[in-house]
Amino acid sequence: MIRRTMPTGMIIAAMLLLAGCGDRGTEPPAHPPAAARQPDQTGPRSIQPPQVVRDRLRTEPVTQHSIPELVTAPGEVALDLKLVAKITSRIAGQIEHIHVQLGDRVRPGQPLAAIGSLQLDQLVEEYLVGKAQADVAENSFRRTEKLRTDDIVPERKLIEDKGRYLETKARYQHVREKLLAMGLSKAELAGLERGGHEEGHHYTLTSPIVGTVVAQNAVRGQGVAPGEELFEVVDTSRVWVFANLPIEQARKFKEGDQGTITPKGAEAVTAPLTYIAPMADETTRTIHVRFEVTNAQGQLKPREYVDVTLTLPGSPVLAIPVSAVTTVGQVRGAFIERESSYTFVPVDFGREGEGWVEIRNGLKENDRVVTEGVFDLKNVQLKEHIGTGE
């Protein structure tokens, strides 16, 4: 019999092919993702803390509690316009003396600047002449009245003297009113009548309110015109705070409601709501509201931004203290007490206010939650998790 042998090269190739097929047949399944291998760290897991930890734990039951609804909005501090004074000159002239400077505190009636004015000199002279003429005309009229009573002078003389008196009195009073309108006081006019007129009489600008000089547009020798603003004085002991509320929120409030104003880096203050705009803003469709804030210490600065908070009373809901809320594995929840152990439970929380937080789901009434020692329980849970090697 003739025997046929297979070449050695072909035998080796066949063996390698069979080996490769065998490896693919025994290939292990792909490793699951790391997240799939990790145990659920937020599921119910009882913790048996040591006695030293138990002694630090405090628990409270889940109860019905009224949580107010908080409405917040950005606000801006503004000057109370009743406490702002822009001081202008009512006559043309030249500044001859400056009594104050930027930043000075002033009181009502305190001189700010002295203005020399030819117009004022002329008016003062006209006033003094008119006053003298009116006095003479009045004396003449009173004397004629007596003479007419005795039938010494004719009726026509009485009528002429009376007309002259009324004319000079009207002219005098007209000049007097012009001087008062320019800012001279009745006391100053009385002083002019007693002391006469001195050349170079000065018109003195004074502050009408107590406050701080925040703008000065006057220097010595400067010419001024009527109506030109020279000083601005403001009093910041009371300020306004404005905010914009959505229409549906603004409807829930009324004037007199208390709000909380919180400036950055300073303590919060309370203030009454004093104005609710009757119309919505055309662009933002919001309602403009205003608070009047007592600012005796100057903690609020006009034009700074603040946070405004208004509170609405809420109906009772299931709630727990905020101190019981914690996060484990990026899940918010609370530790509850079950017999001699403690378990972390994920919770769906609602609104928060005045140290309480609403429970929407996850806890039921009378469940006892840990309010003190939460951090210690988290440490115990973490150590147990590391000890199991999970």
Side-chain angles (χ1 to χ4, degrees):
M1 179 181 295
I2 301 174
R3 298 180 62 185
R4 296 182 178 179
T5 61
M6 185 179 295
T8 304
M10 295 181 63
I11 294 174
I12 294 173
M15 292 176 64
L16 291 174
L17 181 61
L18 291 174
C21 292
D23 290 342
R24 285 194 299 271
T26 61
E27 182 179 347
H31 293 288
R37 297 198 309 271
Q38 293 180 354
D40 185 4
Q41 298 179 8
T42 62
R45 181 192 297 273
S46 295
I47 303 173
Q48 298 284 346
Q51 188 60 43
V52 65
V53 173
R54 290 178 184 272
D55 293 341
R56 292 197 292 267
L57 301 182
R58 298 291 182 271
T59 62
E60 291 186 25
V62 178
T63 60
Q64 296 280 334
H65 197 279
S66 178
I67 299 179
E69 178 184 350
L70 300 181
V71 176
T72 61
E76 183 176 1
V77 182
L79 290 169
D80 184 336
L81 296 183
K82 297 188 293 294
L83 303 179
V84 177
K86 295 181 181 292
I87 294 90
T88 62
S89 175
R90 298 185 182 183
I91 62 175
Q94 186 177 41
I95 297 177
E96 296 188 359
H97 189 72
I98 301 291
H99 295 286
V100 296
Q101 60 183 355
L102 192 67
D104 283 355
R105 291 283 298 175
V106 295
R107 61 185 183 277
Q110 180 173 336
L112 304 179
I115 298 175
S117 171
L118 178 61
Q119 179 187 2
L120 179 61
D121 287 339
Q122 292 172 342
L123 279 175
V124 169
E125 181 179 354
E126 187 177 344
Y127 169 76
L128 294 175
V129 171
K131 179 67 169 61
Q133 291 176 342
D135 290 343
V136 171
E138 182 179 11
N139 291 334
S140 178
F141 170 62
R142 299 305 177 196
R143 185 174 61 255
T144 302
E145 270 188 321
K146 292 180 179 179
L147 294 174
R148 178 57 190 163
T149 302
D150 297 333
D151 201 22
I152 299 176
V153 297
E155 181 73 19
R156 189 179 70 175
K157 173 65 173 174
L158 176 65
I159 295 174
E160 289 175 351
D161 286 355
K162 183 177 180 181
R164 190 176 301 110
Y165 163 61
L166 293 177
E167 179 184 355
T168 55
K169 182 180 179 181
R171 188 183 305 116
Y172 152 72
Q173 288 182 338
H174 176 67
V175 178
R176 174 185 172 86
E177 293 300 323
K178 289 176 69 174
L179 289 172
L180 290 174
M182 286 183 174
L184 270 71
S185 66
K186 293 180 180 180
E188 288 176 311
L189 293 181
L192 288 175
E193 295 172 9
R194 290 192 303 268
H197 174 48
E198 296 179 1
E199 289 296 330
H201 183 81
H202 292 93
Y203 169 57
T204 303
L205 289 178
T206 60
S207 175
I209 63 172
V210 62
T212 303
V213 178
V214 297
Q216 177 184 341
N217 304 311
V219 295
R220 186 178 300 175
Q222 172 184 335
V224 295
E228 183 177 352
E229 182 181 325
L230 300 177
F231 297 92
E232 182 177 1
V233 177
V234 302
D235 180 6
T236 59
S237 62
R238 187 176 68 245
V239 295
W240 289 344
V241 173
F242 289 100
N244 293 316
L245 298 179
I247 297 176
E248 61 275 12
Q249 290 183 348
R251 288 196 179 103
K252 300 176 182 179
F253 301 99
K254 63 184 183 302
E255 292 182 5
D257 287 344
Q258 292 292 313
T260 301
I261 314 300
T262 308
K264 293 178 175 60
E267 294 183 1
V269 295
T270 58
L273 179 62
T274 57
Y275 172 74
I276 301 176
M279 297 176 59
D281 183 87
E282 184 177 1
T283 304
T284 62
R285 307 301 177 185
T286 56
I287 301 297
H288 208 45
V289 299
R290 183 191 69 202
F291 300 84
E292 287 194 8
V293 188
T294 301
N295 190 41
Q297 304 302 320
Q299 67 271 36
L300 294 177
K301 306 299 182 184
R303 299 176 185 168
E304 78 166 311
Y305 293 108
V306 294
D307 293 324
V308 176
T309 304
L310 285 160
T311 304
L312 288 169
S315 56
V317 294
L318 281 181
I320 61 174
V322 173
S323 60
V325 179
T326 187
T327 301
V328 174
Q330 298 183 347
V331 176
R332 295 184 76 203
F335 285 99
I336 63 174
E337 183 181 26
R338 289 178 176 170
E339 297 180 353
S340 61
S341 64
Y342 299 88
T343 304
F344 175 79
V345 177
V347 180
D348 181 14
F349 295 106
R351 66 179 186 272
E352 178 182 330
E354 295 185 350
W356 292 81
V357 59
E358 177 188 6
I359 302 299
R360 291 177 177 170
N361 193 18
L363 295 173
K364 61 183 183 296
E365 194 166 4
N366 295 322
D367 281 346
R368 298 196 67 85
V369 296
V370 178
T371 57
E372 293 184 26
V374 175
F375 183 73
D376 295 323
L377 281 180
K378 290 179 67 173
N379 281 341
V380 173
Q381 186 185 51
L382 179 61
K383 291 177 181 178
E384 289 184 358
H385 172 65
I386 294 175
T388 59
E390 295 178 340

